[in-house]
Structure formats: structure tokens, C-alpha cells
Amino acid sequence: MTYWQTMPSTYSDRLEELAQTLSACREAFHETADDFHWEPAAGSGAAQAATILPSPDPVIDKPIGETGHRLITEAIQIFLFNAAAHLGSWAALLRAAEVVATPPLLLRAVIENCAHAVWVTGDDPTEAPEDRLARAYLEELKSAEEAKKNAGRLRGKSDPTHTRTADAYKKVKADIAARFPDSTPEELGKYRLHGQQLPGLEDSVRWMYDLTARFGGTIDATVASGLYGLLSNLTHPTLYTVREMRVWTKDEKTGRGVANVRVTIESVEKDVRAALAAFYNAMTYVTSYYGWTETALRTLESKIEAVIPDFFNAALEVE
């Protein structure tokens, strides 16, 4: 099987412009981190958490990682870091005109990481900091369990890596018991803690879009399920996704049918818009939670508007 692609020269210019918006998101994340070092501004929700939930947490015996308000911060920071890194990788793909199969994988990863960052941050600026801490601990518990499980499968349960990850998993559960003495193994087994429930991947995405819909977003939870389902089908082996991109023609020399996979610049831009919206909203929630000045956000806005003038006014369409 041979492979080639053709692309109008105007597409190359547009792909470069779209790549610039994705790179701008990554730059905004790192600029924010460099300017504020993830320290809360006075009077912010994060500052309140720092007062109520000191780090290191005095109730945690021999902490081996972040505790208290710094655990909340670390969870948010890691999820946004992942999203920003994926956007930077996507920019490189656009500059190489690789738009056939990989971008939807990155879009799904960006949306998932943004959804979890927003979920840990929360949608209520007046909520008790312990609620955010509980959500951060649920993320920590899930992460530790996955690390233990996969280490055992990859290396065997006698391997030092599995021993280390199993000990870390036990330590997370012990820390949770110390900080939340009313927690039970049964509830933690269902990823419930202090009135919080860790959402699944699709549920977290539905929750994020439902939240933004309350503030004027055009994608509600139902449409978000459709979007997430399509991105999952584009990520995992599914036949219809490629079939719907094929355009059949006939080779004039051989008379044989030829299937050309067609990707439009409009569909590429639509995916980029969805990624930009998810990341921009997540950065907005996080910036507000920490009480930071919005310099990086304003710079990001101007870079997006220079490439997509109607971005902050037009409804986001999803196919």
C-alpha cells in the first residue's frame, strides 16, 4: 500500500496559524507558572485553603509527597501541564500537516485533563477547602492504584517497582484515613470521600461542559457525551470513523477504485477550537481560584483572536 497526501498551499498557511494558537496555550501555562510559582494571592480561594489546610499536614505521619493545600495544587498543576504539553505536540503535527488520525487523540487527552483540573478546582468559590482536598485525594488514590496494578502486571508482584507502588498505595489510604477519619474502605472502594465522587472519564467531561453551559457555553452534557463518544471512536479501533472520511474515485489507468481519505481544513479548525475552548476555560477557573492577575489570559486571548477573530463570540459547533 502506498501513501501520499496533497494539500493546497493556503492550507499550509492556515495550519501554521492554528498551530500558533495551540503553542500559545502552552506558553500561557508556563508563563503563569513562572510568574506565580503556584502560590495563591491574598484573599483567593487557594489562600483560604492554605490557611485551613497547612502543608505539610500535621495530621499526616511522615508525609512522602504533597499534603494539605499543596496536594490540591499539585493535582491541578499536573492535569494542566498534561493538557498544555498535548497542545504543544498538536502544534507540531499541524506544522507537519499530519492531520489524518492523531489530532482527535490529542483533543480527547486535552479535554480529559482539562476536565479533571476543573473538577478538582470546583465550581463553587465559597465551598469548604476540605471538599477540594477530598477531590485531590480521590485523584491521588486512583493514580496510586493504577500505578500498583500496572507495575504488578508488567514486572510481577515480587519486583521492587511493584513493592514500591503497593507501599505508596497503602500510604495514600493511610493519609486519607488520618485526614478524613469518617472515611470507610467501602466508600473509598467506590471512590467516594467526604461527599465527593470521583467521576469516570466521560462523566468528568460531561460535568465540565455542563458547568460551562451554565455560564453561556453552547455544549451541554448531552452533546458533550456525543463529542466524547466520537473522540473515543477516533482513538480506539472503530471502522465507521475512517469510512466516513473516505472518498472513492477511479484510477484512470487501471480502472480500479481508489479510496482517498479526505480531511477538510474546516474540520481541523473545528477540533482546534474545541481544544482552545477547553484549555482556556480551565485556565480561567484555575486563575480565578488562585486570585492571580489575568495577564497571561489576556495575552492568550489576543493571540487566539488574531487567528480566529470570532472565537470568543461564535457558537462552537460540533459534528
Side-chain angles (χ1 to χ4, degrees):
M1 179 180 292
T2 59
Y3 170 82
W4 70 94
Q5 69 177 23
T6 59
M7 182 177 66
S9 59
T10 54
Y11 279 27
S12 179
D13 295 339
R14 188 55 177 167
L15 290 177
E16 170 58 31
E17 291 175 345
L18 294 174
Q20 290 173 10
T21 66
L22 299 177
S23 295
C25 290
R26 183 173 62 180
E27 292 162 5
F29 169 79
H30 288 290
E31 179 185 341
T32 299
D34 290 343
D35 286 348
F36 302 107
H37 306 286
W38 294 94
E39 294 295 335
S44 65
Q48 180 189 22
T51 300
I52 297 175
L53 304 171
S55 180
D57 189 332
V59 307
I60 304 299
D61 182 43
K62 298 178 181 178
I64 60 175
E66 297 289 4
T67 59
H69 72 98
R70 294 296 301 174
L71 179 64
I72 300 172
T73 292
E74 185 176 47
I76 295 170
Q77 186 268 346
I78 287 175
F79 290 135
L80 281 183
F81 172 85
N82 281 338
H86 288 312
L87 290 167
S89 299
W90 191 349
L93 286 176
L94 292 185
R95 291 186 169 109
E98 292 290 348
V99 298
V100 174
T102 307
L105 282 64
L106 294 173
L107 175 55
R108 172 178 153 158
V110 168
I111 290 175
E112 286 176 345
N113 277 281
C114 288
H116 279 261
V118 174
W119 182 72
V120 173
T121 305
D123 61 346
D124 180 4
T126 66
E127 75 172 333
E130 289 86 352
D131 292 344
R132 288 191 179 92
L133 183 62
R135 294 196 292 272
Y137 265 122
L138 286 172
E139 296 282 9
E140 192 77 14
L141 180 66
K142 178 65 174 179
S143 175
E145 183 179 37
E146 289 294 309
K148 174 181 73 74
K149 176 182 68 178
N150 292 321
R153 291 173 176 175
L154 285 169
R155 300 175 179 272
K157 294 188 176 181
S158 61
D159 188 87
T161 301
H162 181 263
T163 301
R164 173 178 57 80
T165 54
D167 289 343
Y169 177 57
K170 293 177 183 176
K171 179 67 168 117
V172 170
K173 291 196 291 185
D175 290 353
I176 290 173
R179 167 44 60 190
F180 298 97
D182 293 337
S183 63
T184 66
E186 292 75 21
E187 288 294 285
L188 287 180
K190 299 175 183 177
Y191 292 105
R192 295 174 183 167
L193 177 65
H194 196 64
Q196 307 300 308
Q197 169 79 61
L198 180 69
L201 292 175
E202 180 178 341
D203 287 339
S204 68
V205 172
R206 285 171 52 88
W207 181 88
M208 178 181 70
Y209 280 109
D210 186 53
L211 172 62
T212 57
R214 284 184 250 158
F215 295 94
T218 58
I219 299 179
D220 59 18
T222 300
V223 176
S225 286
L227 171 60
Y228 188 79
L230 175 59
L231 292 176
S232 298
N233 291 159
L234 289 162
T235 300
H236 305 300
T238 312
L239 297 174
Y240 84 92
T241 54
V242 173
R243 283 180 179 147
E244 291 188 351
M245 290 189 288
R246 291 191 307 198
V247 178
W248 285 92
T249 60
K250 181 177 290 188
D251 188 309
E252 294 181 357
K253 293 181 180 179
T254 65
R256 294 175 178 172
V258 177
N260 296 307
V261 175
R262 181 173 181 265
V263 178
T264 67
I265 194 67
E266 291 80 12
S267 67
V268 173
E269 182 164 329
K270 198 166 290 185
D271 286 348
V272 169
R273 283 174 175 257
L276 293 174
F279 186 80
Y280 177 82
N281 287 334
M283 280 292 294
T284 299
Y285 282 112
V286 171
T287 298
S288 176
Y289 171 61
Y290 286 92
W292 297 327
T293 57
E294 298 182 346
T295 304
L297 280 175
R298 299 292 86 80
T299 299
L300 178 58
E301 287 174 6
S302 65
K303 289 181 178 180
I304 293 174
E305 288 180 326
V307 175
I308 310 174
D310 68 340
F311 179 79
F312 291 100
N313 296 318
L316 181 63
E317 298 178 2
V318 178
E319 290 184 348

